[in-house]
Amino acid sequence: MKIKFLTFLFIIAAVSMSCKGSEPVTYSDSALKDIVGKYFLIGAAVSTRQVAGQDVNALRLIKKHFNSIVAENCMKSEVIHPTEDTYNFTDADALVKFGEENGMKVIGHCLIWHSQLSRWFCVDKNGNNVSPEVLKERMKNHIHTIVGRYKGRIKGWDVVNEAIESDGSWRKTKFYEILGEEYIPLAFQYAHEADPDAELHYNDYGMDAKGKRDKVVEMVKKLKARGLRIDAVGMQGHMGMDYPRYEDFEESINSFASTGVKVMITEWDMSALPSAYTGANIADVSAYKKELNPYPNGLPDSVSLAWNNRMEKFFNLFIKHSDVISRVTAWGVTDGDSWKNGFPVRGRTDYPLLFDRNYNPKPFINKILNSSK
Ligand code: GLA
């Protein structure tokens, strides 16, 4: 790992003189996956529109640069399983086929999550919570049907998403209300039954927080002690200019890896805007204010430079830990498509991804692309 890392630093240093901040960038024919693929899978969350080829420029970038994809939305329960008796596999089928046709590892996201959850899942016709037995049966059917359909074709599943609060307490979701923490091992058990070869992950945001970190470690140990399969902890990696602290993020990588699982950076992006909220709970949206949207017409050079430096610093951290980090996935392809334009404040213009609104690589990505020459 050390040698790989030193080589990478050397390459970065060798090109760093040539492309700083706002200087004109030289476009490279190199593909990200060819350069960093030796460290980990490099992925992007893709939309149904992109898979359908409705954005040809994005499609070109996805095919060229990434060797892994994850569904931005089409595998979430509200889309794929909208009523108890209806599954809608059209978009997920297309995504999996697209990944296979382009030699990409396809990641399944996500099986059990309190958000973007179909309305029927945890309640009866009158809106009352179902019994523990009914919920177990529903979870089992949901997981068996979806994981079973793509058996052998999905590399790994985000089995449970966001079950823990920053302070380390269990998030009080419907799943928790009805089944207590037992819903987590059950979800992992059902997923393993449906595809014994698929990797299984726990995924969450704000993983730099000590309370959450410790609880995740405890949970992974408990799952393992019960003989359940868990292969990786997914650190979503929704970042900003002032969070998370680099040291805290690194400590979490080390703590998760110390349990024997791999670590994945699963939803990487970095807002360049003033932070209104540091988490990623998509229920929490703040009111629009002009001062929260300071760069509607483009990032000033100084901000762009700071953003690129910070992204590069984290990317180097991922490389440094590439013995335990098996995948880095960006949550989207270009700035124009990012959810960050609408969260946590609607109607802003943000710059969080690896490619800009004109489909050009950001300077720190360009630096990596040029490093192969
Ligand atoms: C969470 C989820 C993702 C996505 C992002 C925001 O992090 O895991 O699926 O919804 O929020 O888009």
Side-chain angles (χ1 to χ4, degrees):
M1 186 272 286
K2 212 168 197 160
I3 292 177
K4 278 200 297 183
F5 181 55
L6 288 177
T7 315
F8 184 79
L9 283 186
F10 175 76
I11 293 168
I12 290 287
V15 294
S16 65
M17 303 311 290
S18 63
C19 49
K20 282 248 187 301
S22 61
E23 282 173 27
V25 286
T26 336
Y27 297 112
S28 163
D29 291 339
S30 314
L32 203 47
K33 63 185 176 192
D34 296 336
I35 301 171
V36 303
K38 56 182 175 288
Y39 302 112
F40 32 60
L41 288 172
I42 184 85
V46 298
S47 66
T48 298
R49 221 180 122 248
Q50 289 165 338
V51 169
Q54 288 167 20
D55 181 346
V56 287
N57 291 315
L59 196 66
R60 181 180 49 83
L61 292 181
I62 295 164
K63 288 185 181 176
K64 176 172 174 181
H65 291 291
F66 299 103
N67 55 19
S68 175
I69 51 169
V70 60
E72 188 175 6
N73 284 307
C74 72
M75 287 186 176
K76 292 171 179 170
S77 71
E78 68 175 6
V79 181
I80 203 167
H81 195 179
T83 71
E84 187 166 8
D85 303 324
T86 327
Y87 284 91
N88 169 14
F89 288 121
T90 314
D91 296 341
D93 284 358
L95 178 115
V96 174
K97 186 163 167 271
F98 172 82
E100 288 174 339
E101 284 173 357
N102 290 286
M104 297 160 169
K105 303 287 182 207
V106 184
I107 305 302
H109 172 83
C110 49
L111 296 170
I112 297 295
W113 187 31
H114 66 280
S115 189
Q116 294 186 260
L117 174 69
S118 8
R119 286 165 180 265
W120 62 272
F121 210 117
C122 298
V123 293
D124 63 19
K125 286 195 205 75
N126 303 318
N128 299 316
N129 284 357
V130 293
S131 69
E133 286 319 308
V134 169
L135 184 56
K136 279 189 206 170
E137 205 46 40
R138 288 182 179 183
M139 283 176 53
K140 188 171 175 178
N141 288 337
H142 177 77
I143 294 174
H144 277 192
T145 306
I146 298 167
V147 177
R149 183 177 183 91
Y150 301 112
K151 187 167 183 235
R153 302 173 68 195
I154 297 278
K155 179 169 170 58
W157 281 97
D158 291 341
V159 179
V160 176
N161 199 26
E162 304 179 352
I164 299 169
E165 301 278 8
S166 320
D167 64 1
S169 58
W170 294 111
R171 185 182 295 281
K172 305 301 179 296
T173 65
K174 286 268 177 209
F175 294 104
Y176 184 83
E177 256 176 51
I178 299 169
L179 287 168
E181 61 187 271
E182 192 58 18
Y183 84 88
I184 296 169
L186 283 171
F188 278 85
Q189 178 197 318
Y190 298 148
H192 186 56
E193 286 164 3
D195 186 352
D197 294 328
E199 293 175 2
L200 305 181
H201 329 139
Y202 174 74
N203 193 50
D204 212 328
Y205 68 86
M207 295 286 249
D208 51 298
K210 180 168 171 19
K212 188 174 288 207
R213 175 198 301 143
D214 292 348
K215 187 70 165 191
V216 170
V217 166
E218 183 191 309
M219 182 191 67
V220 171
K221 286 183 179 162
K222 275 194 195 163
L223 290 171
K224 282 179 168 265
R226 285 170 67 162
L228 291 164
R229 175 166 188 167
I230 173 160
D231 297 272
V233 167
M235 301 175 70
Q236 291 184 1
H238 296 295
M239 301 181 175
M241 296 300 287
D242 53 3
Y243 65 91
R245 283 182 64 231
Y246 177 92
E247 295 75 16
D248 295 336
F249 202 86
E250 180 167 36
E251 192 166 338
S252 292
I253 294 173
N254 288 330
S255 302
F256 300 146
S258 74
T259 67
V261 296
K262 291 289 186 198
V263 175
M264 294 171 173
I265 312 302
T266 54
E267 305 185 14
W268 195 34
D269 54 23
M270 185 182 289
S271 175
L273 302 183
S275 56
Y277 170 74
T278 56
N281 189 344
I282 59 172
D284 301 336
V285 179
S286 312
Y288 180 90
K289 287 193 213 107
K290 212 166 172 214
E291 46 292 13
L292 291 177
N293 189 28
Y295 319 122
N297 303 315
L299 276 189
D301 289 351
S302 60
V303 182
S304 168
L305 184 60
W307 183 92
N308 276 283
N309 286 343
R310 190 164 151 81
M311 285 295 274
E312 184 181 330
K313 189 172 170 194
F314 273 97
F315 197 76
N316 285 342
L317 176 71
F318 306 156
I319 303 265
K320 175 180 171 192
H321 290 283
S322 59
D323 53 339
V324 295
I325 294 182
S326 57
R327 175 169 58 95
V328 174
T329 292
W331 200 250
V333 183
T334 71
D335 287 343
D337 296 320
S338 170
W339 73 299
K340 294 302 297 178
N341 296 304
F343 177 86
V345 179
R346 291 206 181 93
R348 297 202 293 180
T349 305
D350 206 343
Y351 305 84
L353 288 169
L354 314 191
F355 296 88
D356 68 20
R357 284 175 169 74
N358 296 319
Y359 305 90
N360 292 322
K362 298 284 181 68
F364 93 98
I365 290 293
N366 222 28
K367 206 158 153 181
I368 297 171
L369 295 177
N370 281 313
S371 70
S372 68
K373 289 190 169 157

